[in-house]
Amino acid sequence: MNNTVYLSYGTFVSPLGVGIEANFNALKNGESGVQLQPKSGFNQEDWYFSKINTLPENRYDTLLKLALADLKKQYSTAVLQDAQTLFIVSSTKGNIDALPNDVFASSREIIQKETNNPNNVIIISNACISGVLAINAAADYIQFSGYKTVIVIGIDVVSDFVLYGFQSLYALSDAPVQPFDKNRKGISLGEACGIVVLSKDQPSNFSVEYLGGASSNDANHISGPSRTGEGLFRAINKTIERNSIDKTNIDFISAHGTGTLYNDEMESIAFNRCELAHIPLNSLKGYFGHTLGAAGVIETLVAMFSIEHQLLFANKGFEELGTSQPLSIVQSTHSSSVKTVLKTASGFGGGNAALLIRALS
Amino acid sequence: MKIIASTYLSSKGAYLNGEKIVQFTDENWLKACYQHLALDYPKFYKMDNLSKMAVLGVELLANSGIFSQIDTNDLELLFANSNASQHTDLKFIDSYTVAKNPSPSLFVYTLPNILTGELAIKHKWYGENSFYISPNFDAQLFATKIHQAYKKGVNYCLCGWIDSKLEANSTLSEESFLFLVALNEENASLHQEIEQLMTQYNQKEKE
């Protein structure tokens, strides 16, 4: 019996463009959505973040509809409305403008209206690891719960709420984010919607094999990363053990790399404890900012770009290593043999998650 | 799969394995519950209501000795509610619109999964965590996730419906339902058992 779970492109909407092609080309050209946003702060400070300028009012719902419209160009109505197709949404805040009402109601309504899918939409809201968790959950629904196709939608938009919140924590950078760099000052926020499709049957378009994933809690602090990288260390090890993958076969790590002092330091410790420090690694926050619930999904899409095009993308904003432990940061966008990729995420609430994907053999 | 322990908490009272432990009359029932349990965990007072309800429910389970009887090394936390962190979200909005000073101590609780983080910290649980949002309590969602965890070799799941919802009349409707499941064998009727347990607690609460 073939137990392979296939992972293929859904769509990608970010400041760099609408669709898979547009985002791949912009990324290859080194473009970034992270721009100066004058007077965006609570006290009219200028912050940098990655904003989709074409979104009008009702930005979350509009972004979701835009992404679904592109998805519908590639997937037939028959697949989208099939009872064996499930939708999972990964978002930290949903449509926050709906408060005090249910911020996730519009996600369910829009997906059901646009696709006519009969199943309840599953919503995962687990801070910045939501996207990786959602992809891992999607594979579980295929492997153990009888679904043929699971469509994972990672989405979040920048709002005053989130911006003022990170500002109040002194977590924002007053320059474009520089993950893992010695001069890093914090986060640049971002907004995006990424969609990946997991399936039991091999799709006709480009796909990779989803090997598996796991999560683990730091059991340390609700808003600060563990000093020992415990949760990330455990999540990575569990992912590798569950899949009986030889660590030496990992070609590339798509890290979280938010650009805060403590997060990036924690990751360097965890990757060293896992003996993975020599493997090329990057953070994509320099291109897209930190897109919260969308991050794990869009970064998995980019990991798929790396496998399809045998290309590693530069860790934008990086000049000199600024972590206590060594890391092999990708310094320029270049061709490379990329077969197996480890994707990781860490977030508030002490959550850490990882997943592994591999080129089809 | 077998439900080996459960608790239910609301403003009316606290229940453990179907039995009423204490009735609340105090409007501040979370504090009353904390005092009833003689809990000494000063961090409790800094938490939002969701985390408080989760911590208290787990404390009731812990006092029954159930966690010392099982291996919590791979304990998986599966949690859900209907409105994420709605109550704290509104308070955080007030902190910048009314008080004109965005509050970092409120902001860190504007994510529902902070409560699983609080549980992990208090009990040193390093297992898998995930937080789901469903419009209403969904026994099938839990049963499906538990089945998946069983297939992946997990031995125990601690499941929780920790809900704090602002009603149309501006009152808060709050409940904390926790159940611990041993994943020793398949159980096709697990979702009915979960549903029945929740129904029983909701009926007892009305008595």
Side-chain angles (χ1 to χ4, degrees):
Chain A
M1 190 177 141
N2 179 9
N3 283 322
T4 306
V5 174
Y6 298 91
L7 180 67
S8 51
Y9 298 130
T11 188
F12 197 148
V13 183
S14 80
L16 300 189
V18 177
I20 297 293
E21 275 304 307
N23 277 277
F24 171 72
N25 289 328
L27 201 56
K28 203 170 67 171
N29 294 334
E31 293 170 27
S32 172
V34 178
Q35 305 291 339
L36 181 70
Q37 310 287 345
K39 300 189 190 318
S40 53
F42 181 70
N43 300 306
Q44 309 293 305
E45 298 90 339
D46 298 340
W47 294 118
Y48 283 84
F49 58 87
S50 175
K51 183 180 178 189
I52 305 174
N53 289 319
T54 51
L55 289 180
E57 294 298 295
N58 202 6
R59 308 181 74 247
Y60 178 93
D61 290 356
T62 308
L63 177 57
L64 180 57
K65 285 177 192 167
L66 196 61
L68 287 171
D70 194 59
L71 183 76
K72 282 158 74 176
K73 288 181 193 161
Q74 297 148 69
Y75 286 83
S76 69
T77 312
V79 170
L80 299 178
Q81 66 182 23
D82 193 302
Q84 285 180 295
T85 296
L86 181 72
F87 281 84
I88 300 182
V89 172
S90 152
S91 180
T92 62
K93 297 312 298 175
N95 179 359
I96 200 166
D97 296 333
L99 280 170
N101 297 317
D102 182 354
V103 296
F104 293 107
S106 71
S107 305
R108 295 185 196 102
E109 284 158 18
I110 290 167
I111 291 166
Q112 279 168 339
K113 183 164 174 283
E114 296 292 325
T115 67
N116 288 317
N117 185 273
N119 297 307
N120 290 334
V121 175
I122 305 279
I123 312 265
I124 294 185
S125 185
N126 208 102
C128 307
I129 69 166
S130 302
V132 175
L133 279 186
I135 295 170
N136 289 341
D140 290 346
Y141 275 96
I142 286 177
Q143 286 180 306
F144 310 123
S145 302
Y147 288 91
K148 279 170 73 175
T149 309
V150 182
I151 298 171
V152 178
I153 304 175
I155 176 168
D156 262 312
V157 292
V158 177
S159 57
D160 287 350
F161 185 108
V162 171
L163 193 76
Y164 298 169
F166 279 102
Q167 182 178 344
S168 77
L169 292 173
Y170 299 99
L172 295 180
S173 171
D174 60 5
V177 63
Q178 295 178 274
F180 302 110
D181 189 83
K182 112 179 178 336
N183 294 318
R184 70 186 182 279
K185 296 177 184 171
I187 290 171
S188 298
L189 288 170
E191 58 191 8
C193 179
I195 303 184
V196 293
V197 180
L198 290 90
S199 59
K200 199 176 181 61
D201 299 328
Q202 185 171 351
S204 54
N205 57 347
F206 174 75
S207 66
V208 299
E209 183 182 356
Y210 168 89
L211 294 173
S215 69
S216 177
N217 200 289
D218 283 332
N220 175 66
H221 194 278
I222 56 165
S223 57
S226 158
R227 283 179 194 278
T228 59
E230 188 64 26
L232 183 55
F233 169 74
R234 287 182 186 232
I236 293 170
N237 276 350
K238 209 186 284 184
T239 298
I240 291 171
E241 281 163 20
R242 269 190 187 158
N243 297 289
S244 317
I245 285 279
D246 187 340
K247 269 183 209 187
T248 58
N249 288 335
I250 298 173
D251 301 307
F252 167 62
I253 301 169
S254 172
H256 191 53
T258 61
T260 68
L261 281 177
Y262 292 112
N263 172 79
D264 296 2
E265 172 64 13
M266 177 282 285
E267 289 187 47
S268 80
I269 293 168
F271 289 124
N272 276 272
R273 285 181 68 192
C274 293
E275 298 171 344
L276 297 172
H278 60 288
I279 296 172
L281 168 152
N282 75 11
S283 156
L284 296 165
K285 303 295 189 283
Y287 300 95
F288 301 104
H290 189 354
T291 57
L292 310 174
V297 180
I298 67 168
E299 290 162 12
T300 298
L301 284 166
V302 177
M304 293 165 69
F305 292 167
S306 287
I307 293 173
E308 183 181 10
H309 301 279
Q310 297 291 290
L311 194 63
L312 292 180
F313 298 97
N315 186 115
K316 201 173 183 67
F318 178 86
E319 284 172 11
E320 192 179 336
L321 189 67
T323 55
S324 70
Q325 304 298 309
L327 289 170
S328 307
I329 306 291
V330 180
Q331 303 207 32
S332 65
T333 298
H334 66 277
S335 294
S336 182
S337 170
V338 187
K339 194 171 175 225
T340 306
V341 179
L342 174 72
K343 168 80 207 113
T344 66
S346 303
F348 279 4
N352 298 271
L355 62 80
L356 273 169
I357 57 174
R358 184 170 63 190
L360 294 182
S361 47
Chain B
M1 295 148 207
K2 188 168 183 285
I3 301 172
I4 56 173
S6 67
T7 64
Y8 183 87
L9 301 173
S10 77
S11 60
K12 308 270 176 58
Y15 302 80
L16 173 67
N17 298 326
E19 302 295 324
K20 186 184 270 187
I21 300 291
V22 59
Q23 187 160 339
F24 302 127
T25 49
D26 197 325
E27 195 184 332
N28 193 346
W29 64 276
L30 291 165
K31 190 177 171 191
C33 188
Y34 177 89
Q35 287 168 340
H36 176 82
L37 292 169
L39 199 58
D40 181 19
Y41 197 59
K43 263 181 80 180
F44 176 85
Y45 289 104
K46 291 184 182 173
M47 294 176 187
D48 72 332
N49 283 12
L50 293 175
S51 298
K52 283 178 179 170
M53 288 194 284
V55 164
L56 293 169
V58 168
E59 208 58 24
L60 264 172
L61 287 177
N63 287 351
S64 75
I66 192 78
F67 293 120
S68 57
Q69 296 165 30
I70 67 170
D71 176 11
T72 55
N73 202 36
D74 73 338
L75 180 69
E76 178 160 343
L77 306 186
L78 289 170
F79 279 68
N81 75 9
S82 71
N83 268 268
S85 51
Q86 177 203 44
H87 187 207
T88 308
D89 289 355
L90 294 171
K91 286 206 246 180
F92 176 67
I93 289 173
D94 277 352
S95 80
Y96 63 81
T97 55
V98 181
K100 304 290 182 200
N101 190 12
S103 162
S105 54
L106 285 171
F107 181 66
V108 293
Y109 284 99
T110 60
L111 292 161
N113 66 294
I114 297 300
L115 74 86
T116 52
E118 292 285 14
L119 296 178
I121 292 165
K122 186 162 192 310
H123 299 277
K124 290 285 154 206
W125 289 334
Y126 295 94
E128 305 234 10
N129 292 189
S130 50
F131 205 105
Y132 291 80
I133 314 292
S134 60
N136 301 105
F137 177 73
D138 186 347
Q140 186 64 61
L141 174 69
F142 283 108
T144 303
K145 298 301 303 172
I146 293 164
H147 178 77
Q148 293 167 357
Y150 167 74
K151 289 286 191 182
K152 289 198 285 187
V154 174
N155 293 309
Y156 293 94
C157 284
L158 176 64
C159 303
W161 173 259
I162 314 284
D163 203 31
S164 175
K165 187 177 175 182
L166 196 64
E167 301 291 353
N169 62 3
S170 295
T171 59
L172 269 182
S173 167
E174 297 185 306
E175 64 180 350
S176 162
F177 171 45
L178 294 168
F179 54 101
L180 182 62
V181 186
L183 279 52
N184 47 351
E185 56 187 359
E186 301 259 11
N187 176 355
S189 60
L190 183 66
H191 76 276
Q192 284 103 327
E193 291 171 25
I194 296 168
E195 187 77 58
Q196 279 165 13
L197 195 54
M198 179 59 140
T199 307
Q200 280 168 17
Y201 280 124
N202 285 334
Q203 281 166 355
K204 276 181 195 288
E205 193 201 26
K206 292 195 182 79
E207 283 168 8

